[in-house]
Amino acid sequence: NAGVTQTPKFRVLKTGQSMTLLCAQDMNHEYMYWYRQDPGMGLRLIHYSVGEGTTAKGEVPDGYNVSRLKKQNFLLGLESAAPSQTSVYFCASSYEAAYEQYFGPGTRLTVT
Amino acid sequence: GIQVEQSPPDLILQEGANSTLRCNFSDSVNNLQWFHQNPWGQLINLFYIPSGTKQNGRLSATTVATERYSLLYISSSQTTDSGVYFCAVVAAGNKLTFGGGTRVLVKP
């Protein structure tokens, strides 16, 4: 059981470039989430999904898009990266909203 | 939305000391979790504890849902306990809301 995995672990982008972050889970969880963590702060929810084919906005969704084409995968896209998107991105999954969330190792993204 | 406040913001301990971290929240919750973020940035699940008391080795946690707070106890602290401890809750809806964290440094 790998749990929750994230690809890539590190990435440096130039302003205006695009990229996709991949999250995969092997626990058959319905719910998946993308968070960002800025220095010295807790995590904030970007987008989430309550099942295959569904997505919903979280607290800080602007500048990001997501897709959940397969139950085990949740993709986070940046269409035109900005320096304000420099952050550490965490993916998580859970069986249901009120159940325990399990987090991936994070992706450190720097936008110059 | 729900507010989550953690105290103290910073804690310096001598190895072997005991400590208590507190998490206050402003509304009823369906989920409460404690995490340890280690110096490498990894988030480690410590407890899933929407109510009651749990223990895992030197760590234990208590949530009093009716009074809207949770406590994390660290006993006989070790240098590997250093890092940031986060409390996070789910109220109505699907969002896990994080507190600001308690930064713990355990000195040898």
Side-chain angles (χ1 to χ4, degrees):
Chain A
N1 256 5
V4 180
T5 58
Q6 294 182 230
T7 309
K9 290 185 171 51
F10 303 94
R11 186 71 187 268
V12 178
L13 287 179
K14 294 186 176 179
T15 298
Q17 287 185 320
S18 62
M19 77 164 295
T20 301
L21 282 66
L22 171 63
C23 175
Q25 53 94 5
D26 62 2
M27 296 175 280
N28 202 34
H29 284 165
E30 290 293 333
Y31 285 60
M32 296 187 74
Y33 313 82
W34 277 107
Y35 295 86
R36 62 177 286 173
Q37 184 179 29
D38 298 314
M41 296 179 66
L43 280 68
R44 293 182 293 168
L45 184 64
I46 305 172
H47 286 281
Y48 64 97
S49 167
V50 301
E52 182 178 313
T54 74
T55 62
K57 294 181 179 180
E59 185 182 355
V60 288
D62 294 342
Y64 305 95
N65 56 76
V66 288
S67 63
R68 182 101 181 267
L69 298 179
K70 293 182 179 181
K71 184 177 183 179
Q72 63 269 32
N73 295 338
F74 195 29
L75 278 64
L76 178 71
L78 287 72
E79 289 187 348
S80 180
S84 60
Q85 294 177 305
T86 293
S87 190
V88 180
Y89 292 85
F90 286 95
C91 175
S93 72
S94 67
Y95 181 65
E96 285 185 5
Y99 283 62
E100 187 171 6
Q101 289 191 22
Y102 296 87
F103 282 78
T107 295
R108 188 173 297 273
L109 175 65
T110 301
V111 183
T112 61
Chain B
I2 192 168
Q3 303 298 312
V4 182
E5 295 184 357
Q6 293 185 239
S7 60
D10 295 280
L11 193 57
I12 299 175
L13 300 170
Q14 205 62 42
E15 198 169 28
N18 303 328
S19 63
T20 301
L21 283 60
R22 187 177 180 101
C23 172
N24 292 333
F25 43 95
S26 61
D27 205 345
S28 300
V29 298
N30 299 315
N31 172 6
L32 189 146
Q33 292 184 240
W34 282 97
F35 298 91
H36 175 216
Q37 188 165 39
N38 63 24
W40 296 270
Q42 185 182 8
L43 270 174
I44 299 163
N45 287 35
L46 296 178
F47 294 102
Y48 168 73
I49 186 167
S51 65
T53 298
K54 290 186 177 180
Q55 180 155 6
N56 184 2
R58 296 180 297 102
L59 301 180
S60 64
T62 296
T63 297
V64 183
T66 53
E67 297 187 21
R68 299 181 183 169
Y69 72 88
S70 184
L71 302 174
L72 178 68
Y73 305 95
I74 305 175
S75 64
S76 304
S77 57
Q78 300 178 357
T79 57
T80 52
D81 294 331
S82 296
V84 183
Y85 290 80
F86 288 106
C87 166
V89 303
V90 174
N94 302 309
K95 190 175 75 160
L96 192 64
T97 299
F98 281 74
T102 293
R103 189 174 302 273
V104 173
L105 175 63
V106 181
K107 293 186 172 182

